[in-house]
Amino acid sequence: QKEVEQDPGPLSVPEGAIVSLNCTYSNSAFQYFMWYRQYSRKGPELLMYTYSSGNKEDGRFTAQVDKSSKYISLFIRDSQPSDSATYLCASEETSGSRLTFGEGTQLTVNP
Amino acid sequence: SQTIHQWPATLVQPVGSPLSLECTVEGTSNPNLYWYRQAAGRGLQLLFYSVGIGQISSEVPQNLSASRPQDRQFILSSKKLLLSDSGFYLCAWSTGAVLYGYTFGSGTRLTVV
């Protein structure tokens, strides 16, 4: 079993839709949770990170972690065509330990 | 500011040929360095990581090796490429603080023919 599971999609939504991207994890020691965005033929870039359970909001993006169910979510409000990318969730046990990535979900926002 | 350079951007190599991919980081000291491979439609597979000069940890036994001859230089090598070595190779660095995450290079798309 992979430590971080993510539905690879692809996911296609119309512009303006609310997008929900999700991951599950199995390692109870994970404390830090991140979302990376990867445009085609580019390296991933850090989008958001959260520590332990809770929500974190940044503009149109909200990251949510539920440690009791080992569930990680990223919500995108008012999605834009420029949001079209692959989104990867990642987790690590302690700050500075190695990240474990999900497989990534390919998202397309259609104008 | 910190930057990471990775080259070449694309590479087509015949089976059995050697490989050398280079990654350099600017604007920071003693970074943690990583090599990842991303196969088409799949996630990131950690190949090697290094916490200091000459310190290399291998995650997956395979046809590849890594070296860190200088603090901010990380090299991925192979003596004889296999078809299965094709993929998108990414170098990344981190300070070790989760606040900043990993910073990835722009990647090298390797096709072994």
Side-chain angles (χ1 to χ4, degrees):
Chain A
Q1 181 188 9
K2 295 179 182 177
E3 285 191 294
V4 179
E5 299 269 6
Q6 184 175 9
D7 184 344
L11 181 62
S12 182
V13 301
E15 183 175 355
I18 297 174
V19 176
S20 174
L21 303 169
N22 307 293
C23 293
T24 58
Y25 65 94
S26 57
N27 186 345
S28 299
F30 283 151
Q31 296 188 68
Y32 297 90
F33 305 92
M34 278 144 273
W35 284 95
Y36 284 78
R37 179 175 59 196
Q38 185 179 20
Y39 291 113
S40 180
R41 300 181 182 275
K42 300 291 185 182
E45 56 180 346
L46 180 64
L47 193 59
M48 297 183 72
Y49 84 95
T50 54
Y51 170 70
S52 193
S53 285
N55 294 357
K56 186 171 185 177
E57 188 174 321
D58 184 3
R60 296 184 294 110
F61 298 86
T62 300
Q64 192 172 79
V65 176
D66 183 347
K67 292 193 74 178
S68 63
S69 59
K70 297 187 175 67
Y71 205 76
I72 311 164
S73 300
L74 178 70
F75 299 97
I76 307 175
R77 294 186 301 278
D78 187 25
S79 57
Q80 303 295 309
S82 59
D83 295 328
S84 298
T86 296
Y87 291 80
L88 301 108
C89 59
S91 304
E92 63 180 355
E93 294 182 12
T94 59
S95 180
S97 63
R98 284 172 286 127
L99 280 177
T100 301
F101 284 89
E103 286 199 6
T105 300
Q106 184 180 348
L107 170 69
T108 300
V109 181
N110 301 299
Chain B
S1 64
Q2 301 92 353
T3 56
I4 180 169
H5 302 280
Q6 189 180 344
W7 66 91
T10 58
L11 194 57
V12 180
Q13 292 283 98
V15 169
S17 64
L19 174 73
S20 180
L21 301 181
E22 188 165 341
C23 172
T24 60
V25 181
E26 294 179 359
T28 188
S29 297
N30 197 31
N32 294 339
L33 296 172
Y34 311 86
W35 277 112
Y36 282 88
R37 178 169 59 200
Q38 187 175 35
R42 301 187 62 181
L44 295 171
Q45 179 187 35
L46 179 62
L47 302 176
F48 301 94
Y49 72 96
S50 171
V51 297
I53 296 174
Q55 300 178 60
I56 308 294
S57 295
S58 174
E59 286 294 300
V60 182
Q62 57 205 326
N63 187 40
L64 302 169
S65 63
S67 62
R68 185 171 177 173
Q70 300 180 45
D71 181 44
R72 289 169 288 179
Q73 184 184 29
F74 206 22
I75 298 172
L76 182 69
S77 304
S78 174
K79 292 183 179 179
K80 289 186 178 181
L81 285 169
L82 306 172
L83 286 174
S84 58
D85 291 325
S86 294
F88 190 47
Y89 288 83
L90 289 157
C91 179
W93 75 274
S94 75
T95 64
V98 70
L99 174 65
Y100 305 107
Y102 286 18
T103 300
F104 285 86
S106 53
T108 295
R109 187 159 301 280
L110 172 66
T111 304
V112 183
V113 296

